[in-house]
Amino acid sequence: MAIKVKLLQKKISQGRKSLYLDFYPAIPNPQTGEKTRREFLKMYIHEKPSTALDKQHNAEQLKLGEAIRQKRENELNKPEIYSEYEKERLRKKELGYIDFVEYFRKTANKRYGSNRSNWMSALTYLENFTGGKVKFIDVTEGFLEDFKDYLLTTQSIKSSQKKEPLSQNSALSYFNKLKATLKQAYKEGILQIDLNARVAPIKPAETRREYLTLEELKALAKTPCSDDVLRCAALFSGLTGLRFSDIDNLDWGDIEHVEGQGYFIKFRQQKTKGIETLPISEEAYGLLREPLKSGNKVFMGLKTASYHKKALRDWIEAAGITKHITFHCFRHTYATLQLFKGTDMYTVSKMLGHREIKTTQIYAHIVDDAKREAADKIKLDL
């Protein structure tokens, strides 16, 4: 009995219709072997096209869908019509018509936390650059270089009134998201060439990482603060290198004491999701309040970094420190002081939970600059 294949439509979200093939009688699913009557093409059309572009999009998608329908019907009923080479060429052609922006959107939606927010920002810039749609077949090295130039010259969407340019490091981050998506598409066989490897990333801008000297950190410890939970959390970061997000999520169940070895923290990093075991000093443990049962936060009452911003600024000023210090600077302080005290780069990298040691090497520049400054202080006026 001949298998009939129809191209049908199903209403989905945002005023769209998804295209799918209907088989009669049902055919075996190539992955599961179970009988199925549907094969969704991962293609859509606008239910009510309102612009010329929408109408063109619909026409192209329906034309491609019909070509796929005809091919599948021929494959099922007359497999001898196409050679393996022809089938492969048709398959690759179909992949080229997949919407790259939609593929990026689906990839971004799989992320979570602050990382997802960063991906969604990258998606916004991609949508602005492409007008919201671009096929894989049009994603070339030239397209990627143009998008790179766009990121390096466009205005930040977060400063529409001030019209500030997008920072170079933000452009780097967003472009890296695009490269990661290309890498995934290549692994899945959607891309036939590894475009990610062919296009160079955006170079990071030189940034100044502010930190406190040991004397300044000691001065802060002796200075009263109107926000006690902030004071303890900040000093704890300076003694452990933990990020605000990790300190905020620290649970009493994460802290343990090993006889003869001291205190340890076992936790999952909010940023990298890596499981870490971090030894902490007696002094760091002394900043914590009365221990509670597992399930209770260690720094109860800690809110967001922005919420504590004013109290932090007042505390810094009260200690006589004129540097612009944010909460994250306490992590920089920990890394820098460890290197000043002679701790090797590998150990500092592990203590900070960095995935790659090159991330830690930025602190080496701070130490080298400080050494140069110290060397130039002694002059004989020869």
Side-chain angles (χ1 to χ4, degrees), residues 5-8 19-21 41 43 58-72 94 97:
V5 184
K6 293 182 180 180
L7 178 65
L8 300 180
L19 300 183
Y20 69 95
L21 299 179
L41 302 181
M43 297 162 55
N58 281 11
E60 290 175 351
Q61 295 291 287
L62 289 169
K63 183 178 180 181
L64 177 59
E66 175 57 28
I68 296 172
R69 184 206 68 76
Q70 183 65 56
K71 182 177 82 75
R72 292 291 283 126
E94 292 167 15
Y97 283 93

Side-chain angles (χ1 to χ4, degrees), residues 117-137:
S117 176
N118 200 253
W119 272 83
M120 297 311 290
S121 293
L123 173 62
T124 300
Y125 285 100
L126 180 62
E127 289 174 331
N128 291 345
F129 177 70
T130 61
K133 59 185 72 175
V134 65
K135 301 180 184 68
F136 264 98
I137 196 172

